[in-house]
Amino acid sequence: MNKIPVEKNKQYIVDIIDNGFEGEGITKIDNFTIFIPGAIKGEKVKILIVKVLSSHAFGKVIEIIETSKSRQDSDCNTYKRCGGCNLRHIKYEDTLKMKQNAVQSLVNKTLKNKIQVKPTIGMEKPFHYRNKAQYPIGLNKNGEPIIGVFANRTHEVIPMEKCLIQNPISEEISKFIVEFIKDNKISIYDEKTGKGLFRHIVIKVGIKTNEIMCILVINGNKIPNENELISQLINKYPNIKTIVKNINTKNTNVILGKENINLYGDGYIKDILGEYTFKISPLSFYQVNPIQAEKLYNIGVEAAKITKNDIVFDLYCGIGTISLYMAKYAKKVYGVEIVEQAIADANENARLNSIDNAEFICGDTEVILDDLINNKNIVPNVVMVDPPRRGLDNNSIDNILKIKPDRLVYISCNPATLARDLAKFEDVYNIKEIQPVDMFPFTSHVECVAVLQLKQDR
């Protein structure tokens, strides 16, 4: 066994040779890999080794000796501790190149067809783009309630100061609620003891409609002076369309419980994406950055070249956003999703937009896909998938390969599972393009649209 060339708590001067998938710097000492968050390719830095494993180590930057042209001063006070955006120290244009390169290196490693990944589509204004804020409530050193974000890798709440990716109204309303909690001496949930009432404040904002939803997450049933809080909120913020009390009494790090009680309004807001109106409810998923989602969906729909003869399957369809986009061009769209609330919203959204050729089915994609194909003999010409981070399961891949739709569009929020899954389609499909889209500027996340076409010689 080779001796590990670095020791914990020792300092070294190194050259950063690359950036990894989380934006971290990578260096090697005697061919031994060290990951250094906050360092940029091309820099010379002094590092302190903080953790050593048998195959790699982690270091932290002590001093930057030679600085990359890509480096910029971070414009956020809590940047170092928050972990919400891990690339604020890099110029925006360069973060787009990093994301393209990260996807390209996965393609090069995993696929036979070393397709050239397209340049990442960025945002004109990459600030305040999130339409959903989830603030944990904690106590500061003086025992007063604060909202903030969990410190990176811990559950300590860091007070929030002018977040550059959140919608400013979310922060303003949340701070107002915290003042009310303070003035009314309402208790704060403590995850160690499971005691205390207020857990989270979640705000959703319709970017185009300016409608606002407030979700108050509590460990119990009743908020002291509830009616007073509601009347103060709606008087001060007339754009609040609904206030929902969400009951979460479980000892869990899942933010929302299953039970929602409408305190004001009817429990949902609307937003507009492309030419469609969507209803958003507390538990349903809606793209967090609708400006970029619109670009993403347009690429997906155009790439699928849908015609009036086409039957389309949209797997993991959520509240039907992309299904409704495609319905306009298709003969029929079947959307499949496991979250009941999302399917109820999808059906409502189809009605809302007078779309009658989209059918939504609630259930596990694996099971429903099997049933549609093997029992109901419905064979799609186009399959659109937008799976969670873990990617597609083998059963769904086998079913798609069995029916061989002419076109397959894969929207992915995790390039690693995308590359893994594309490799399983490569023998039967030509991968036509991989287009990264920057949905979460200044973070290491990247969404991709991959377009596959059935090989003609089969």
Side-chain angles (χ1 to χ4, degrees):
M1 179 73 194
N2 290 347
K3 188 174 171 302
I4 291 175
V6 295
E7 279 177 54
K8 190 175 172 173
N9 296 332
K10 279 214 166 161
Q11 294 187 4
Y12 301 84
I13 290 175
V14 295
D15 293 313
I16 305 299
I17 53 173
D18 205 356
N19 283 99
F21 296 120
E22 296 291 324
E24 71 281 20
I26 299 174
T27 188
K28 288 188 185 243
I29 293 179
D30 295 348
N31 227 5
F32 185 77
T33 304
I34 304 156
F35 297 106
I36 304 131
I40 305 175
K41 183 178 176 178
E43 293 188 324
K44 187 186 273 296
V45 290
K46 181 189 278 186
I47 61 167
L48 173 75
I49 300 291
V50 291
K51 187 176 182 184
V52 180
L53 302 168
S54 60
S55 59
H56 58 277
F58 294 90
K60 78 173 189 183
V61 176
I62 304 287
E63 181 195 344
I64 299 172
I65 297 162
E66 286 171 21
T67 304
S68 162
K69 288 190 189 69
S70 301
R71 184 173 286 281
Q72 61 178 15
D73 287 338
S74 166
D75 43 9
C76 167
N77 298 334
T78 48
Y79 172 61
K80 284 275 195 300
R81 298 185 59 210
C82 165
C85 354
N86 47 358
L87 305 180
R88 287 213 93 80
H89 59 292
I90 302 172
K91 289 176 182 153
Y92 184 58
E93 286 307 309
D94 293 329
T95 67
L96 298 178
K97 287 195 199 85
M98 278 172 69
K99 293 183 186 200
Q100 179 190 3
N101 294 341
V103 179
Q104 187 68 57
S105 91
L106 280 164
V107 164
N108 295 350
K109 263 197 215 114
T110 320
L111 298 181
K112 287 185 283 212
N113 167 15
K114 314 292 182 209
I115 179 172
Q116 182 61 46
V117 175
K118 293 187 156 181
T120 311
I121 294 175
M123 275 190 98
E124 285 75 54
K125 297 193 184 81
F127 299 97
H128 303 300
Y129 55 79
R130 286 185 65 96
N131 63 357
K132 180 173 84 170
Q134 312 187 113
Y135 294 119
I137 307 176
L139 297 171
N140 65 12
K141 297 204 172 32
N142 308 330
E144 298 164 332
I146 49 165
I147 56 147
V149 286
F150 285 130
N152 199 5
R153 297 195 171 80
T154 74
H155 271 206
E156 178 200 345
V157 176
I158 304 172
M160 202 60 213
E161 284 308 322
K162 300 205 172 15
C163 176
L164 294 159
I165 63 175
Q166 285 296 3
N167 192 315
I169 192 73
S170 301
E171 201 173 317
E172 199 185 315
I173 292 172
S174 300
K175 285 184 171 164
F176 181 84
I177 295 169
V178 168
E179 283 306 312
F180 184 90
I181 291 171
K182 216 186 280 185
D183 294 346
N184 288 270
K185 301 191 171 41
I186 301 172
S187 63
I188 302 299
Y189 178 71
D190 177 344
E191 55 184 36
K192 291 191 184 74
T193 63
K195 302 271 194 301
L197 185 69
F198 246 98
R199 294 178 74 133
H200 273 81
I201 299 167
V202 180
I203 309 280
K204 296 188 179 192
V205 184
I207 298 280
K208 301 261 177 73
T209 59
N210 290 318
E211 295 185 1
I212 299 168
M213 171 190 292
C214 282
I215 307 170
L216 309 169
V217 186
I218 58 169
N219 172 39
N221 294 313
K222 185 91 181 85
I223 300 170
N225 303 336
E226 197 166 84
N227 295 342
E228 179 60 21
L229 172 59
I230 293 159
S231 65
Q232 284 190 24
L233 276 171
I234 54 188
N235 286 335
K236 189 162 167 63
Y237 302 103
N239 283 357
I240 292 179
K241 284 282 172 285
T242 189
I243 300 171
V244 177
K245 181 165 64 173
N246 177 273
I247 313 291
N248 185 357
T249 52
K250 287 196 176 137
N251 181 5
T252 168
N253 56 7
V254 175
I255 292 173
L256 294 176
K258 295 273 188 287
E259 189 186 351
N260 290 306
I261 297 161
N262 294 348
L263 301 178
Y264 170 75
D266 42 21
Y268 65 84
I269 54 169
K270 289 186 180 141
D271 199 14
I272 294 163
L273 200 62
E275 54 191 86
Y276 305 104
T277 301
F278 291 98
K279 269 172 101 162
I280 304 159
S281 58
L283 296 177
S284 63
F285 173 79
Y286 181 67
Q287 288 289 357
V288 169
N289 182 345
I291 293 169
Q292 292 297 87
E294 219 169 290
K295 294 180 189 172
L296 184 82
Y297 288 171
N298 286 334
I299 294 162
V301 170
E302 270 170 41
K305 296 192 169 48
I306 298 165
T307 70
K308 279 293 173 210
N309 302 324
D310 285 336
I311 289 174
V312 182
F313 284 1
D314 178 15
L315 309 180
Y316 309 96
C317 68
I319 61 170
T321 34
I322 203 162
S323 303
L324 301 188
Y325 258 65
M326 296 189 291
K328 177 175 161 187
Y329 306 98
K331 181 174 173 182
K332 176 98 190 227
V333 177
Y334 293 89
V336 182
E337 168 64 59
I338 197 159
V339 180
E340 279 175 41
Q341 178 68 63
I343 287 291
D345 288 351
N347 281 315
E348 182 64 23
N349 289 328
R351 270 199 299 280
L352 201 59
N353 293 286
S354 310
I355 290 172
D356 53 13
N357 62 336
E359 186 178 318
F360 294 100
I361 306 162
C362 184
D364 185 342
T365 295
E366 213 179 307
V367 178
I368 304 288
L369 185 62
D370 211 36
D371 182 53
L372 284 171
I373 293 166
N374 299 319
N375 299 335
K376 300 208 167 71
N377 297 324
I378 299 170
V379 178
N381 312 84
V382 180
V383 172
M384 169 81 71
V385 296
D386 187 356
R389 291 191 65 73
R390 63 174 181 274
L392 293 174
D393 60 274
N394 284 330
N395 210 353
S396 295
I397 292 176
D398 290 346
N399 267 317
I400 292 168
L401 287 172
K402 190 156 45 175
I403 51 169
K404 298 188 178 55
D406 182 45
R407 283 142 288 156
L408 176 63
V409 180
Y410 189 141
I411 294 180
S412 157
C413 57
N414 180 353
T417 53
L418 172 68
R420 178 201 73 196
D421 291 349
L422 289 180
K424 295 171 185 169
F425 286 110
E426 252 193 315
D427 290 343
V428 182
Y429 283 86
N430 288 318
I431 300 166
K432 305 292 271 186
E433 69 172 272
I434 299 175
Q435 173 66 70
V437 178
D438 194 23
M439 299 285 276
F440 299 98
F442 295 112
T443 77
S444 51
H445 287 281
V446 59
E447 300 259 337
C448 294
V449 183
V451 182
L452 290 79
Q453 177 87 41
L454 192 64
K455 290 181 179 175
Q456 288 314 311
D457 54 352
R458 303 194 71 82

